[in-house]
């Protein structure tokens, strides 16, 4: 039971399901990122409809939760693929290796932007990464030292910001979106801010920042109910809810496909999935699914996934990623270290 508590509710449920169905492995099993989930779900449905294989089972467990399950071992009670909205960490790669999962292929499927969004029935926010950090950080610099964050309203941070209570619904600690937010917003801002003395990523727990689980639909529901609140999720999910939600302009740049793919939007990232190559030959159709996901039909400039919010990689990068997957290129520790610099 302690192992299930460590994994978290969603990941524990997935682990229980895998253990229950460990012997019935005619279906591909996929876990991981809530951000990648809508894209992977589309591929899963297409795979089930156009091949003779059963429709894969897919669960949204968060990037961290998915990698815990994926790295648990090579048995048929472990997932074949895990999705991630950030690169695998060095510690996760070493855990995989320690458990015998040492033949992994990494696939980059495209770009995504992390957005702060609010209801279209409220004024649009314009913020900097420094202002966002001062809103969510557990501690802020004051008079040369760090103090517990006293900011309750946005105009406590900057008089030009609205007098609205700081309420931000965001992802939990198991989420790749949370990891990327901490890195691309908080680390980037705090490194340049006097008083922090380096990277700072500790998020306040006094109620201003509210972890809303791995279900981004729940965040949207909260934003509809509370027009003053902001929510953090991937650009693709913003696209799905464009009739109700609007994105915050960050440092003068709005999240759009062009600004995300060019890197001009300051909170953009790559999206991934990881394949357990030891399961090839044991799980029917595994690489047929993987190759379908990496096809132009899915991730290309005119691919289906672009229609639901995926920002395609440039053509030469797509071809490189497709070749890496087709050849089952083995991910190495040096690659992981380079990606996490």
């Amino acid at each position: 039971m302690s192992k299930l508590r460590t994994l978290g509710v969603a990941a524990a449920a997935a682990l229980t399901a895998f253990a229950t169905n460990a012997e019935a492995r005619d279906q591909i099993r996929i876990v991981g990122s809530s951000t990648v989930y809508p894209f992977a779900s589309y591929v899963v449905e297409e795979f089930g409809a156009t091949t003779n294989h059963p429709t894969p089972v897919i669960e949204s467990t968060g990037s961290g939760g998915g990698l815990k399950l994926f790295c648990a071992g090579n048995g048929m009670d472990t997932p074949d693929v895990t999705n991630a909205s950030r690169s695998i960490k060095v510690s996760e790669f070493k855990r995989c290796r320690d458990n015998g999962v040492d033949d992994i292929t990494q696939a980059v499927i495209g770009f995504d932007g992390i957005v702060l969004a609010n209801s279209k029935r409220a004024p649009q926010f314009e913020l900097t990464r420094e202002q966002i950090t001062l809103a969510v950080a557990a501690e802020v610099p004051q008079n040369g030292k760090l103090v517990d964050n006293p900011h309750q309203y946005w105009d406590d941070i900057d008089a030009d910001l609205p007098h609205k209570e700081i309420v931000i619904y965001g992802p939990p600690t198991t989420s790749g979106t949370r990891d990327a937010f901490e890195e691309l917003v908080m680390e980037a801002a705090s490194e340049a801010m006097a008083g922090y003395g380096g990277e700072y990523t500790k998020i306040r727990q006094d109620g201003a920042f509210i972890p809303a689980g791995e279900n981004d639909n729940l965040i949207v529901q909260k934003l509809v109910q509370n027009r003053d609140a902001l929510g953090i999720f991937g650009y693709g999910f913003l696209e799905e809810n464009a009739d109700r939600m609007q994105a915050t302009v960050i440092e003068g740049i709005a999240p759009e496909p062009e600004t995300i793919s060019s890197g001009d939007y300051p909170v953009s990232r790559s999206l991934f999935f990881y394949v357990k190559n030891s399961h090839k030959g044991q799980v029917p159709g595994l690489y047929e699914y993987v190759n379908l996901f990496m096809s132009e039909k899915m991730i290309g400039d005119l691919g289906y996934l672009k229609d639901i919010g995926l920002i395609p990689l440039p053509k030469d990068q797509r071809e490189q990623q497709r070749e890496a997957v087709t050849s089952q290129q083995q991910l190495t520790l040096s690659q992981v270290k380079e990606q996490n610099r």
Side-chain angles (χ1 to χ4, degrees), residues 169-173 175 177-178 181 209-214 216 219 232-233:
Y169 293 96
T173 55
S175 170
T177 299
R178 170 79 164 253
F181 174 80
F209 181 96
I210 305 165
E214 295 291 354
D216 291 336
I219 297 180
I232 301 170
F233 41 72

Side-chain angles (χ1 to χ4, degrees), residues 5-321:
R5 289 197 193 100
T6 301
L7 286 171
V9 175
L15 181 61
T16 301
F18 290 160
T20 303
N21 296 285
E23 295 178 4
R25 292 297 270 113
D26 59 332
Q27 282 181 299
I28 300 166
R29 297 191 175 272
I30 305 162
V31 293
S33 164
S34 61
T35 300
V36 180
Y37 180 83
F39 307 127
S41 293
Y42 191 102
V43 181
V44 159
E45 293 301 321
E46 182 74 5
F47 182 80
T50 60
T51 73
N52 294 323
H53 300 291
T55 301
V57 175
I58 181 169
E59 299 190 53
S60 175
T61 62
S63 297
L67 281 158
K68 283 181 181 178
L69 291 165
F70 183 84
C71 292
N74 283 310
M76 288 295 100
D77 58 343
T78 63
D80 313 306
V81 177
T82 190
N83 303 316
S85 55
R86 49 134 175 108
S87 169
I88 187 172
K89 297 176 181 178
V90 171
S91 59
E92 291 166 333
F93 183 85
K94 289 181 176 178
R95 185 185 304 120
C96 267
R97 189 176 59 185
D98 291 346
N99 289 329
V101 186
D102 53 9
D103 189 2
I104 302 167
T105 292
Q106 172 183 276
V108 181
I109 64 168
F111 296 113
D112 182 38
I114 297 174
V115 301
L116 273 74
N118 68 331
S119 169
K120 276 193 167 179
R121 299 174 69 186
Q124 186 178 36
F125 274 80
E126 295 190 21
L127 298 169
T128 65
R129 283 181 287 183
E130 179 175 329
Q131 290 168 337
I132 297 167
T133 299
L134 291 174
V136 302
E139 300 166 296
V140 298
Q142 283 192 358
N143 302 319
K145 62 180 182 179
L146 292 179
V147 301
D148 290 342
N149 194 333
H151 302 140
Q152 299 300 314
Y153 296 88
W154 286 100
D155 57 355
D156 292 339
I157 296 170
D158 188 319
D160 292 332
L161 294 176
H163 183 67
K164 291 182 181 291
E165 187 178 5
I166 297 171
V167 179
I168 300 174
Y169 293 96
T173 55
T174 55
S175 170
T177 299
R178 170 79 164 253
D179 291 332
F181 174 80
E182 291 175 358
E183 175 187 348
L184 298 172
V185 175
M186 298 183 73
E187 284 185 15
S190 59
E191 233 182 350
M193 294 167 66
Y196 278 118
E199 299 172 352
Y200 185 94
T201 60
K202 187 177 178 182
I203 290 180
R204 64 196 297 184
Q205 299 183 43
D206 60 356
F209 181 96
I210 305 165
E214 295 291 354
N215 186 350
D216 291 336
N217 284 302
L218 178 60
I219 297 180
V220 170
Q221 291 171 17
K222 297 291 186 182
L223 300 185
V224 170
Q225 294 166 5
N226 183 354
R227 297 184 198 176
D228 290 343
L230 288 169
I232 301 170
F233 41 72
Y235 174 78
F237 202 76
L238 175 71
E239 284 280 277
E240 289 183 28
N241 294 277
D243 58 328
R244 297 184 290 173
M245 299 290 110
Q246 61 187 348
T248 297
V249 175
I250 298 179
E251 293 173 4
I253 300 172
E256 302 286 352
E258 296 76 16
T259 60
I260 293 170
S261 61
S262 68
D264 291 338
Y265 179 66
V267 198
S268 57
R269 58 177 172 174
S270 299
L271 300 178
F272 304 79
F273 67 77
Y274 294 89
V275 187
K276 189 176 293 178
N277 290 324
S278 63
H279 282 190
K280 184 188 177 185
Q282 299 186 68
V283 181
L286 176 57
Y287 258 86
E288 288 180 58
Y289 165 79
V290 168
N291 291 334
L292 175 62
F293 205 143
M294 296 304 292
S295 68
E296 284 293 287
K297 175 181 176 180
M298 291 296 166
I299 66 170
D301 289 328
L302 300 176
Y304 294 135
L305 301 187
K306 183 178 181 180
D307 292 338
I308 57 173
L310 183 71
I311 313 300
L313 295 168
K315 184 177 180 180
D316 60 335
Q317 292 184 34
R318 293 199 303 272
E319 290 174 351
Q320 289 174 5
Q321 289 299 316

